[in-house]
Amino acid sequence: MSGKTVTRADLSEAVYQQVGLSRSESAALVETVLAEICGTLEAGETVKLSSFGSFVVRSKGKRVGRNPKTGVEVEIEPRQVMVFKPSNVLKARINGLNGTADSDED
């Protein structure tokens, strides 16, 4: 899948083919899972998917930034950001190693 972006439709199709639900049920299942993840993150909670990784909401404080084109200093307001931390299993798989669920300490 080099260079390809996986879409909701791709995920729905994979559920359809591997689980055996209808296409509409597969799409609804994918939407439900994504909505649950989004809702949890909106509430400021962490989402941890075993053997995959964690989505974490972090708070960034107010700071002074600089416009790179003009050099003018601008105040950047505090905000929430979402970060993804891959599990050791996912890191191992990406690097072609045999990652097992036992090594998942994240």
Side-chain angles (χ1 to χ4, degrees):
M1 294 183 84
S2 179
K4 184 179 184 306
T5 299
V6 177
T7 64
R8 290 174 186 222
D10 295 332
L11 294 173
S12 297
E13 185 65 23
V15 170
Y16 167 72
Q17 290 180 359
Q18 295 181 20
V19 178
L21 297 174
S22 70
R23 280 196 163 90
S24 61
E25 291 172 326
S26 298
L29 177 64
V30 169
E31 289 300 323
T32 300
V33 170
L34 294 175
E36 185 66 27
I37 291 171
C38 289
T40 302
L41 292 168
E42 285 173 5
E45 299 176 34
T46 297
V47 175
K48 181 176 180 181
L49 302 173
S50 182
S51 300
F52 183 70
S54 300
F55 296 93
V56 181
V57 177
R58 289 193 183 152
S59 296
K60 293 189 109 180
K62 183 166 77 171
R63 65 185 177 92
V64 175
R66 193 177 298 271
N67 181 329
K69 188 172 183 179
T70 63
V72 175
E73 289 186 352
V74 176
E75 190 174 285
I76 300 173
E77 295 298 319
R79 65 193 186 281
Q80 303 277 37
V81 295
M82 196 234 11
V83 295
F84 175 73
K85 182 179 181 198
S87 72
N88 290 334
V89 174
L90 181 58
K91 288 179 194 177
R93 289 184 68 179
I94 289 171
N95 289 308
L97 306 173
N98 185 15
T100 61
D102 294 340
S103 66
D104 185 14
E105 297 295 326
D106 294 337

